[in-house]
Amino acid sequence: MRGFGLEAENCCIIGGGSTAARRRPRQAVPAGRWGAWGVERVRFQKDRCKGCGLCAAVCPRRIIRFEEHPNRLGYLPAAVADQDRCVSCALCAIVCPDLVISVFRPAAQG
């Protein structure tokens, strides 16, 4: 990913409020959470999300919604409604104050 010094095929972006994005190798994704590109685009750590709504406010595709059931902290965590519509812009991860969002970019085709 340009601007963050990340290899688009091998890394994800880990959110961090005002801190710089950090590198982490792509991890395996559980079955059933993959989009049409064959990868999960956004992953929330739902047990740590406080449902502040900053991610939903900056999402250009407006695909971040809130779960119906509270997490172990008592908050309604955020989740991506449609992984296929996500453009992996990482704005959600950048603004997340609790570092609960990881954004993955699909490997380039061809």
Side-chain angles (χ1 to χ4, degrees), residues 11-67:
C11 293
C12 70
I13 298 163
I14 306 166
S18 62
T19 61
R22 294 167 283 169
R23 291 182 71 163
R24 181 171 72 184
R26 182 176 291 167
Q27 298 175 350
V29 179
R33 297 185 60 185
W34 296 48
W37 287 86
V39 295
E40 179 183 41
R41 299 286 184 106
V42 179
R43 181 184 305 154
F44 287 83
Q45 295 177 21
K46 295 179 182 182
D47 59 327
R48 293 182 46 215
C49 179
K50 294 181 182 169
C52 68
L54 292 174
C55 56
V58 299
C59 179
R61 295 291 181 118
R62 302 290 183 233
I63 57 173
I64 299 176
R65 304 285 184 258
F66 294 93
E67 298 282 336

